[in-house]
Amino acid sequence: MKLFFPKPSFTKHPKSVGENYTQHMLTSFSFSLLMLKGFFVCLIHALLPFCFEKTGSNIIKKLNENMVLKRGQELPKKTTYHE
């Protein structure tokens, strides 16, 4: 019986974003730590709205800028959000 699972490639995706496996692993790890920090500040903000009023948004902006700029793309034009 033949299994139909694709052979995993540890280099295909990293290569598609201009990184080797180790670079991609370290970049992903740094992003995950920043996301974890964002999770905690948003959780605290949900319970105590006067804490970390802009920190969660700033972390999201930083993640987006790092991901877009690192890959040599232009940042999208500033979008105005309505509250």
Side-chain angles (χ1 to χ4, degrees):
M1 178 176 194
K2 187 174 182 180
L3 296 176
F4 294 101
F5 296 107
K7 182 179 175 184
S9 172
F10 290 98
T11 58
K12 185 177 179 182
H13 172 65
K15 190 181 289 185
S16 74
V17 294
E19 298 172 334
N20 64 35
Y21 177 79
T22 305
Q23 290 169 325
H24 191 71
M25 179 182 63
L26 293 173
T27 300
S28 296
F29 185 65
S30 70
F31 281 16
S32 70
L33 290 177
L34 199 50
M35 285 188 235
L36 186 61
K37 178 182 176 183
F39 164 76
F40 283 113
V41 299
C42 288
L43 180 65
I44 293 168
H45 176 72
L47 299 171
L48 306 167
F50 51 87
C51 294
F52 304 115
E53 291 181 1
K54 297 185 182 202
T55 309
S57 298
N58 290 337
I59 289 172
I60 292 169
K61 288 176 190 175
K62 183 176 180 180
L63 283 166
N64 182 53
E65 288 171 3
N66 289 345
M67 192 173 288
V68 171
L69 293 176
K70 183 173 171 106
R71 296 203 167 77
Q73 303 169 0
E74 286 186 34
L75 286 172
K77 292 180 182 169
K78 190 170 184 173
T79 304
T80 304
Y81 296 98
H82 301 285
E83 292 187 25

